[in-house]
Amino acid sequence: MRRLTATLLLALATALPLQAADPSLGGISPRGVQRGVENVMTFNGGRLQDAKEIFFYGGGFEVVKLEASAGNVKATVKVLPTCRLGQHVAQVRTASGVSGYKTFYVGPFATTAEKEPNSDFQAPQPVPLNITVTGVVTNEDVDYYVVEAKKGQRIAAEVEGMRLGTSLFDPYVAILNAKRFELASADDSPLVYQDAVVSAVAPEDGRYLIEIRESAYGGSGSCAYRLHIGNFPRPTAVYPAGGQVGQEVEVKFLGDAAGAFTQKFKLPTELVDLFDVEAKANGQVSPSGNRFRLFPHGNNMETEPNDEIAKATPSELPKAFNGIIEKAGDVDYFKFTAKKGQVFDIECYARRIRSGLDPVMNLYKADG
């Protein structure tokens, strides 16, 4: 027992200095970087003076230069044009260990900072189209930005607020004309969790304002946001929302103010847990992709009308049933053939692919 106690004490005495030497990572600034250019990223924390490299995940990053001190690491990072848009994570590896990871975002646009005062509707902050504005919503604060748009031009906005994880900031975004008439607004958009996306088509040439605030007029000094403003496409759904690995698929993007449009994608040859398809139109791309599920088998597409058992869409297994609940009270039926003793797993993907649907499933025999 004495020998065992001595061994445990020795192990603890050895482990404590090693643990104390591990690097810590408190955060990454800026919280977002632009795709296709070099960015300077600062990794703030402790015991970082012997930093050796930055661990990125998912590909698309090249570290060009690393400058380390005890409190931070400055890294010049080339974000490749092939890098996935949206949330990423990174860690710092030092000579003595690896830090925890922190999140940051990759976007398509250059950034500009909020300039106060911009809380008066009559005196908004002018910004160009296709820009990312970084700002903060304080208590009862409302920030206004103004853009110029031509008749028929799409105006879109997407905010990263709650997703930044710095505070419980629930953003609200609206697009208004110069007479304060609301063209579009959103609080919680399922596509972006508890953040918001909006799009509208300009009814005439003129000035249009984008409003951002906390949904209940709250806020604080930690309610930071990244607000993407432009004429980029901003669909809220993609159909079908999944496809067979290695295949080329044509999908339809839905929910954009300018109308639905189609786009083709060559899918990866291997399964990927996190995969998005990026909507492109008029030379612009959405600030974040639409979630897309990869799987080894093909698709069964619904054929309307299929809102009763007698009109169920014939399908094959193992394949995915794809449909759209288009209106209140809509029901979609699919039918398949099974043999006695066969076992099937039936699972619906809706919120996990960022759909607004809260699904209910029933399994029936063919006679109802």
Side-chain angles (χ1 to χ4, degrees):
M1 181 61 72
R2 282 196 299 272
R3 228 180 352 265
L4 177 59
T5 302
T7 303
L8 290 173
L9 288 172
L10 178 61
L12 286 170
T14 305
L16 286 172
L18 291 175
Q19 185 180 18
D22 283 347
S24 66
L25 182 59
I28 302 172
S29 61
R31 291 306 311 279
V33 294
Q34 185 180 4
R35 183 166 73 176
V37 301
E38 284 189 3
N39 300 263
V40 176
M41 303 175 68
T42 301
F43 298 79
N44 301 296
R47 299 176 294 279
L48 299 172
Q49 64 275 5
D50 54 351
K52 300 299 181 184
E53 62 180 315
I54 307 296
F55 287 161
F56 292 103
Y57 299 91
F61 302 94
E62 290 182 3
V63 178
V64 177
K65 185 180 179 181
L66 212 62
E67 301 174 84
S69 66
N72 63 63
V73 178
K74 286 187 177 180
T76 302
V77 181
K78 183 184 294 184
V79 183
L80 303 181
T82 55
C83 183
R84 177 179 56 82
L85 294 172
Q87 182 179 279
H88 290 262
V89 299
Q91 296 173 283
V92 179
R93 184 184 73 81
T94 68
S96 55
V98 180
S99 74
Y101 68 82
K102 292 293 181 180
T103 63
F104 68 98
Y105 279 75
V106 172
F109 309 126
T111 60
T112 189
E114 172 193 8
K115 295 179 181 177
E116 292 281 7
N118 64 342
S119 299
D120 186 347
F121 181 85
Q122 302 300 330
Q125 178 180 338
V127 294
L129 288 170
N130 302 315
I131 195 76
T132 298
V133 184
T134 59
V136 176
V137 170
T138 56
N139 189 38
E140 297 185 354
D141 188 17
V142 180
D143 291 343
Y144 291 103
Y145 301 94
V146 62
V147 297
E148 297 282 344
K150 298 290 186 182
K151 181 180 180 179
Q153 189 174 25
R154 179 197 292 110
I155 306 166
E158 176 178 337
V159 62
E160 291 149 11
M162 183 69 78
R163 288 177 288 172
L164 294 181
T166 54
S167 67
L168 291 175
F169 171 40
D170 183 12
Y172 167 93
V173 177
I175 300 172
L176 308 102
N177 67 11
K179 297 179 181 178
R180 212 164 192 156
F181 178 80
E182 185 180 282
L183 302 180
S185 65
D187 179 0
D188 299 335
S189 301
L191 173 69
V192 290
Y193 301 88
Q194 207 163 332
D195 284 332
V197 299
V198 287
S199 63
V201 174
E204 58 187 6
D205 294 1
R207 288 158 47 94
Y208 293 88
L209 286 85
I210 290 82
E211 170 189 336
I212 179 169
R213 58 174 172 82
E214 203 276 332
S215 60
Y217 288 94
S220 70
S222 61
C223 291
Y225 63 81
R226 284 169 41 84
L227 177 63
H228 310 283
I229 302 171
N231 60 358
F232 51 82
R234 186 55 281 174
T236 56
V238 58
Y239 181 76
Q244 187 174 4
V245 291
Q247 301 296 307
E248 184 179 68
V249 296
E250 182 175 80
V251 302
K252 179 179 284 188
F253 285 109
L254 307 168
D256 185 271
F261 59 96
T262 60
Q263 195 172 327
K264 289 184 177 180
F265 295 93
K266 175 65 176 177
L267 301 181
T269 56
E270 296 180 355
L271 293 176
V272 179
D273 288 335
L274 182 62
F275 181 73
D276 296 332
V277 288
E278 297 175 0
K280 296 180 180 179
N282 303 320
Q284 298 296 334
V285 62
S286 300
S288 61
N290 289 74
R291 188 63 48 83
F292 197 83
R293 182 173 180 258
L294 302 173
F295 53 96
H297 310 291
N299 283 324
N300 295 296
M301 312 299 288
E302 74 165 321
T303 302
E304 293 281 6
N306 66 338
D307 55 356
E308 55 185 271
I309 288 178
K311 298 178 180 179
T313 297
S315 310
E316 297 177 359
L317 293 180
K319 286 186 177 180
F321 303 160
N322 290 265
I324 301 174
I325 302 300
E326 298 171 319
K327 59 184 181 297
D330 189 17
V331 178
D332 289 342
Y333 285 95
F334 297 85
K335 63 182 179 181
F336 62 95
T337 300
K339 293 183 178 181
K340 182 178 180 179
Q342 283 185 309
V343 177
F344 295 93
D345 291 323
I346 303 174
E347 188 175 0
C348 183
Y349 282 73
R351 284 300 172 100
R352 284 174 290 178
I353 50 173
R354 307 318 312 155
S355 166
L357 179 69
D358 182 8
V360 174
M361 296 190 303
N362 291 310
L363 180 63
Y364 298 93
K365 293 176 64 177
D367 61 5

